[in-house]
Amino acid sequence: MNKKINSKILYLIPLFFFLVLSYRIIYNYTDIKKKEYNFAKAEAEVLNNHLIENRNYYQKLFINHTIDLNEKTLLALPAYSSSIISKNFSQENHFGVEIRTVSDRARNAKNNANESELKAIRFFTKNSKELEYFSDSHEKFYQYASALRINQVCLRCHGKKEDAPLFIQEHYPNAYDYKLGEVRGIVSITIPKKRINDYFFKDFINATLYDIVLFILLFIAVYYLVKKAKSINDSLESEVQEKTKEIKNALIIDRLTSLPNRLHLIEDLSIAEQNTTQALAILDIDKFKDINDFYGSEFGDIVLKNVASTITSLCTKKGATIYKLPGDEFVLYINTEIEKDEFIQKIVTIIKMIQETQYIINQNPIYTTLSCGIAFNEDDIFTKADMALRNAKEKKRSLVVYNDSLDISAKINENNKGLTLLKDAFHEDTIVPFFQPIYNVTTQKIEKYESLVRIVNKDGVIPPYKFLEIAVKSKLYPNITNIMIEKTFAFFEEKPYEFSINLSINDIINVKTSTYILKKLQRYKNPQRIVFELLETDKVEDYNQLKEFIKKVKVYGVKIAIDDFGSGYSNFSHILELNIDYLKIDASLVKYVTTDENSKKVTKTIINFAHDLELKTIAEYVEDKESLELLTEMGIDYIQGYYIGKPAPQLKGS
């Protein structure tokens, strides 16, 4: 498009210069004609002024009798001599200018006005105030005229005949009875157009030639500059296109493997025809992070390049494209006709080849395996293949083909709702503690309460399973812990009950949260009534941090309970190190204590183990009298569950 525009500009330049030059020629011609007109008029005015002054001078000589009017002096009379002088002047001057004193009633026949001069006389007769007349209407000459009007002096010869000098009366029978102001005649000056035109035409030719030469030189310069600019522009355009291509490639090509990247894949998926067969596989290198951590990222890059080379060598089908995604993932995408079984078999071949290939890198033999998710002809084929890949990794399988049962969009939607619920709860301050009573089997009284988090909004009471998992994933859990500590501490400040609050291992290792807890304990009136419940199911990577935290809170008389003890893997050895006060037996054991012999035996073992260590035991999830009695018989210290009381915003009392 730009090249076409540049070519058009090159064609338009000569046309532009031609139009400008034509305008200049026309302008020069018009200007010359105007100068010619003004020159002719100015020359005529000069000649007229000279003639009038000469005429008036000689006229005065006759009037004041310096020269007597007679036969000899008649030749000097202006009315007589003007025609002779004009004739001689016209013959001698270069321009052929003719000067005459003429009248429509001339006494001398030689002074009779011609048609052009009569036109001037009529003009002066009609326009009594006008002094000059100039016209270029005649094709051969310019006509200039100045009016000779009757004044008081003129009346001596042109008034009444009987008042005129005797010599005039005897020699001139006419041109009498004029009145003051009437036109007696005119001074007529005619300037031939050809002569003056020839004179000025030279200027016009010179100006035109000058303009033509100047415009030719200017045209050559501009044309050269435009061509040079076009050449530079073409070069720059080519360079820009090359750079644009490089930038685009940098955006859509993976630097390490030179394969199309994720952006390229998204672009290809967006332009793919919906009615064509599509197959997409995401291949992920298993435990690639371990390779990077052990050997280093440069070593990992070499692994990626080798895997990319292997996959590419196995995918030669027309329409098949290999993409390198961020991290350790590759994509094989085909949008041409292919059978599902054929595509799956191709992926199986790739997985097997990678698995069997030994890569020697820096003299280190490396084996890798792949996990793969595949999707066919789906609306959002990449997302569906990614769901299949996640499932393959979760199930420790090398390949999973997507089906509707793997769709996690509902889960994602549920997570979004949970996150919205949490943010609204923080904003509207609807996160509140509910309190579940804990019953002392020995005193048969409610002596403790566990503080449990709830959200109370316009939809009612929202249980924790609706939002706690989302809070952990979205890193909002510490905020909930802070709120629960703040509100629970305030609620029990003037009450004589011991109360417990749940803490996760993340709360303890989170510097801000643990610091906040310690500051609250410093200010609290009765910290010895506080119990912190630690989840036994939480994965503890550094027991030293946990022991240090327990040591710090014990300074204030705080008690420690291990929650959900007996669920999954129970580490008895760590229990001995943590200086705890309570063991809360997991609900999965208590729930079946009256019906399942194994649950009964494990529960009894935990109670005995705790008593041997002088620890108090609390049984959760007690829902009936039979369970209460059996657990009491086993030696349980405290009971908690719906049989004693449900969590509520107010205390149940004893």
Side-chain angles (χ1 to χ4, degrees), residues 543-579:
Y543 271 91
N544 289 326
Q545 278 185 296
L546 181 56
K547 285 190 284 187
E548 184 65 25
F549 175 79
I550 292 174
K551 182 180 177 181
K552 288 179 179 179
V553 298
K554 284 276 186 175
V555 171
Y556 301 99
V558 173
K559 298 178 181 68
I560 301 295
I562 297 296
D563 197 12
D564 296 334
F565 190 80
S567 63
Y569 174 72
S570 297
N571 196 322
F572 287 86
S573 63
H574 286 305
I575 295 298
L576 301 174
E577 301 175 13
L578 294 179
N579 189 19

Side-chain angles (χ1 to χ4, degrees), residues 55 90 129 131 155 298 323 515 573 593:
R55 179 187 177 88
S90 299
K129 293 183 179 181
L131 299 176
L155 287 176
E298 291 184 7
Y323 303 85
T515 302
S573 63
V593 72

Side-chain angles (χ1 to χ4, degrees), residues 82 128 372 507 521 527 643:
S82 63
S128 59
C372 178
D507 289 325
L521 291 175
Y643 184 69

Side-chain angles (χ1 to χ4, degrees), residues 499-512:
F499 60 92
S500 60
I501 298 174
N502 290 293
L503 292 181
S504 72
I505 189 63
N506 288 328
D507 289 325
I508 293 169
I509 65 176
N510 185 307
V511 176
K512 290 180 71 174

Side-chain angles (χ1 to χ4, degrees), residues 219-252:
F219 168 75
I220 292 171
V222 171
Y223 193 80
Y224 170 78
L225 289 174
V226 170
K227 285 207 74 173
K228 189 71 175 176
K230 180 180 180 297
S231 175
I232 295 171
N233 183 63
D234 289 344
S235 176
L236 288 174
E237 188 176 338
S238 176
E239 198 170 324
V240 167
Q241 288 176 350
E242 190 64 31
K243 290 295 182 184
T244 302
K245 186 178 179 181
E246 288 179 15
I247 293 170
K248 185 177 180 182
N249 284 340
L251 291 173
I252 64 174

Side-chain angles (χ1 to χ4, degrees), residues 344-454:
I344 293 171
Q345 187 56 48
K346 173 59 71 176
I347 298 301
V348 169
T349 302
I350 292 172
I351 293 173
K352 185 178 179 182
M353 179 63 74
I354 294 292
Q355 186 174 335
E356 294 175 352
T357 301
Q358 182 188 66
Y359 298 111
I360 304 298
I361 303 172
N362 298 338
Q363 299 181 347
N364 295 296
I366 295 294
Y367 287 94
T368 59
T369 59
L370 298 178
S371 295
C372 178
I374 297 175
F376 294 98
N377 303 322
E378 299 290 343
D379 288 339
D380 192 356
I381 192 169
F382 178 76
T383 302
K384 302 297 172 58
D386 188 55
M387 291 179 187
L389 175 63
R390 291 186 190 184
N391 186 266
K393 284 188 162 294
E394 287 173 8
K395 300 293 176 60
K396 309 296 182 184
R397 296 167 60 184
S398 61
L399 188 150
V400 171
V401 178
Y402 173 81
N403 59 65
D404 290 340
S405 66
L406 302 178
D407 196 337
I408 61 171
S409 56
K411 178 68 175 175
I412 294 172
N413 187 46
E414 191 68 28
N415 288 346
N416 289 334
K417 287 182 179 179
L419 189 58
T420 302
L421 172 69
L422 266 178
K423 290 183 176 179
D424 290 343
F426 287 126
H427 180 70
E428 298 167 7
D429 192 26
T430 56
I431 297 175
V432 297
F434 271 41
F435 311 103
Q436 187 171 31
I438 301 174
Y439 178 75
N440 188 323
V441 173
T442 304
T443 64
Q444 297 186 355
K445 291 181 179 180
I446 295 173
E447 295 180 355
K448 310 174 188 296
Y449 285 89
E450 181 179 2
S451 180
L452 300 166
V453 66
R454 299 288 187 270

Side-chain angles (χ1 to χ4, degrees), residues 102-157:
V102 298
S103 174
D104 54 344
R105 290 188 286 168
R107 285 175 173 170
N108 187 340
K110 293 180 181 180
N111 294 335
N112 281 329
N114 58 32
E115 184 58 37
S116 179
E117 293 163 338
L118 288 173
K119 188 176 180 181
I121 291 171
R122 288 194 292 270
F123 170 80
F124 288 126
T125 302
K126 188 176 181 180
N127 301 282
S128 59
K129 293 183 179 181
E130 293 294 334
L131 299 176
E132 288 183 327
Y133 170 84
F134 190 78
S135 172
D136 63 347
S137 59
H138 199 280
E139 62 176 326
K140 292 185 177 181
F141 55 80
Y142 293 100
Q143 175 65 62
Y144 176 87
S146 64
L148 298 174
R149 297 185 182 276
I150 297 296
N151 54 31
Q152 195 64 45
V153 173
C154 296
L155 287 176
R156 292 187 60 185
C157 294

Side-chain angles (χ1 to χ4, degrees), residues 43-146:
E43 287 297 310
E45 287 173 347
V46 170
L47 292 173
N48 176 71
N49 290 338
H50 178 75
L51 179 65
I52 292 298
E53 287 300 320
N54 186 65
R55 179 187 177 88
N56 289 339
Y57 176 79
Y58 279 98
Q59 193 176 48
K60 286 179 182 179
L61 291 177
F62 280 101
I63 288 173
N64 59 21
H65 299 293
T66 301
I67 301 175
D68 290 328
L69 186 61
N70 52 49
E71 289 287 345
K72 289 183 179 181
T73 61
L74 178 63
L75 296 177
L77 191 68
Y80 184 87
S81 63
S82 63
S83 61
I84 299 170
I85 294 171
S86 294
K87 182 179 179 182
N88 293 336
F89 178 79
S90 299
Q91 289 174 351
E92 295 297 329
N93 75 83
H94 175 71
F95 287 110
V97 177
E98 185 177 339
I99 303 175
R100 300 200 315 148
T101 304
V102 298
S103 174
D104 54 344
R105 290 188 286 168
R107 285 175 173 170
N108 187 340
K110 293 180 181 180
N111 294 335
N112 281 329
N114 58 32
E115 184 58 37
S116 179
E117 293 163 338
L118 288 173
K119 188 176 180 181
I121 291 171
R122 288 194 292 270
F123 170 80
F124 288 126
T125 302
K126 188 176 181 180
N127 301 282
S128 59
K129 293 183 179 181
E130 293 294 334
L131 299 176
E132 288 183 327
Y133 170 84
F134 190 78
S135 172
D136 63 347
S137 59
H138 199 280
E139 62 176 326
K140 292 185 177 181
F141 55 80
Y142 293 100
Q143 175 65 62
Y144 176 87
S146 64

